[in-house]
Amino acid sequence: MFASKLPRLTQTTSRLFKHAPEVSRSFSTKVPSSEELALKVRAEQNRTRFQQHDLMSDIMNAEDRRDGGNNRLAPRLRPDVELTRRDDFPFNELQPKYNTPKSAIDRDGRLQPVDAKDRTVTLTAHVDGAKETKAHSPFTSFSGVPVGVDGQATEKKLVDNPSYGKSRIVHNPAQDAKGGDVFDQFDIQHDIRTSTHPGLDETAVNRTQPGKPVWKPEPHERRYMADVGVDPTKPSFTYRERAMMNSARDQEYLVRGPIHDFTLEQQDAQGDLKHVSRDQFSDLFDAAHKKP
């Protein structure tokens, strides 16, 4: 009797061992560092907090003064905060390196998005940054200080990242009487977390690199991932998680539509930023569009 069961036992055992390598590969022998453990804990705490926030937002529908309280007919508040945008080519509608459409200053001195009238591009789609989306985005990206649930800036300082360009555009939405809607991190992160935009939950790859390798955060970006509730020690990330990190890292704001009130500063020969008079805008626009 035992002998008759032996072949079946052997087959069962072989099937188990056949799958053993797959099981063993799912476990890592690497011991997490104290920093990694701390980031994991912070990511989980933030993830839980944001889940609760999103649920309450769905129930309340409008939770703060950004939408004029609970009055859907009231215009969105424009925060009184200085926003900055860095750009090497502020008068060019295309980013030369990638040939990607972007916001630019027109000959009349307005900072124009790619398509001011478009209403199909969401905050999430703009942040995700696919080239076909940027080709008709109504948003212009800036960086600024956080804004509280009352719609007011939490501090007064200029957030600036010179690595993004030699020219700097400074804009205070509250001073632009003709300005459009302004969305800060409160709005953007909520939109990314709850968006149903196609492809957001696919594994993120570097779209512009040959072979499209899997995207990995830089070491200094890991803490931002924990800030938005994403475990930065994972082997791969989704486009949604990448967008959340990118927007948090830049303390991003998005302004919809043309921007009329702003200042432009450009570097002089010594590398110092100098104010550019609006009288020079038309000449700078023409120089940027001069055919070689």
Side-chain angles (χ1 to χ4, degrees):
M1 182 181 298
F2 179 77
S4 65
K5 292 182 178 180
L6 188 58
R8 288 198 298 272
L9 179 62
T10 304
Q11 293 171 6
T12 302
T13 305
S14 66
R15 285 198 297 271
L16 287 172
F17 278 111
K18 179 181 179 182
H19 295 286
E22 297 180 11
V23 174
S24 64
R25 280 196 297 269
S26 66
F27 296 94
S28 174
T29 57
K30 179 185 176 183
V31 178
S33 66
S34 57
E35 179 189 6
E36 289 175 327
L37 289 174
L39 288 172
K40 279 175 162 295
V41 170
R42 185 149 60 90
E44 180 58 26
Q45 290 172 340
N46 285 330
R47 187 184 68 82
T48 301
R49 179 165 62 90
F50 293 139
Q51 282 180 337
Q52 294 169 346
H53 168 266
D54 293 337
L55 177 62
M56 185 57 65
S57 294
D58 290 339
I59 295 172
M60 296 297 291
N61 201 27
E63 64 283 299
D64 62 39
R65 288 178 52 201
R66 286 173 178 77
D67 291 299
N70 289 318
N71 184 356
R72 284 293 183 180
L73 299 179
R76 289 182 61 87
L77 295 176
R78 291 198 291 273
D80 183 11
V81 56
E82 284 194 320
L83 308 178
T84 64
R85 173 182 174 83
R86 285 282 187 160
D87 195 335
D88 280 326
F89 308 95
F91 292 89
N92 294 81
E93 296 87 357
L94 289 176
Q95 187 66 259
K97 184 177 179 180
Y98 300 108
N99 208 34
T100 303
K102 67 175 185 66
S103 298
I105 302 172
D106 66 15
R107 204 174 191 282
D108 295 323
R110 292 167 298 189
L111 179 56
Q112 295 278 12
V114 177
D115 186 349
K117 296 182 179 179
D118 189 277
R119 285 296 183 270
T120 63
V121 176
T122 63
L123 304 178
T124 299
H126 178 94
V127 175
D128 182 48
K131 191 172 182 178
E132 58 271 19
T133 300
K134 287 293 187 74
H136 53 102
S137 174
F139 300 110
T140 300
S141 296
F142 290 87
S143 291
V145 298
V147 168
V149 293
D150 61 353
Q152 301 300 314
T154 57
E155 55 185 318
K156 294 287 185 180
K157 71 174 185 178
L158 202 64
V159 176
D160 190 25
N161 192 338
S163 65
Y164 286 167
K166 295 179 180 179
S167 297
R168 182 170 72 182
I169 295 170
V170 182
H171 167 60
N172 186 331
Q175 296 177 5
D176 193 349
K178 299 179 181 179
D181 293 333
V182 183
F183 304 91
D184 65 14
Q185 276 295 286
F186 186 97
D187 306 298
I188 297 170
Q189 292 293 339
H190 177 267
D191 194 78
I192 297 173
R193 288 194 303 268
T194 59
S195 174
T196 58
H197 188 70
L200 275 180
D201 294 314
E202 296 177 1
T203 299
V205 297
N206 293 312
R207 296 184 178 113
T208 59
Q209 292 185 9
K212 297 183 178 180
V214 173
W215 175 82
K216 299 286 186 182
E218 297 293 332
H220 72 278
E221 295 174 331
R222 287 157 48 88
R223 70 178 182 89
Y224 296 108
M225 303 205 79
D227 287 346
V228 296
V230 178
D231 178 4
T233 66
K234 298 195 306 179
S236 64
F237 304 89
T238 64
Y239 285 109
R240 187 190 305 274
E241 292 168 336
R242 182 175 73 171
M244 290 164 64
M245 188 284 298
N246 283 340
S247 191
R249 178 200 60 205
D250 296 340
Q251 293 183 234
E252 185 173 26
Y253 285 65
L254 292 175
V255 181
R256 181 160 55 194
I259 297 170
H260 306 79
D261 190 285
F262 64 90
T263 59
L264 173 65
E265 301 166 324
Q266 291 188 314
Q267 288 185 359
D268 60 15
Q270 287 72 42
D272 298 322
L273 286 172
K274 299 296 182 182
H275 179 264
V276 178
S277 169
R278 284 185 170 265
D279 293 339
Q280 299 176 258
F281 279 15
S282 58
D283 290 338
L284 291 170
F285 177 88
D286 292 340
H289 292 79
K290 184 182 296 183
K291 294 183 179 180

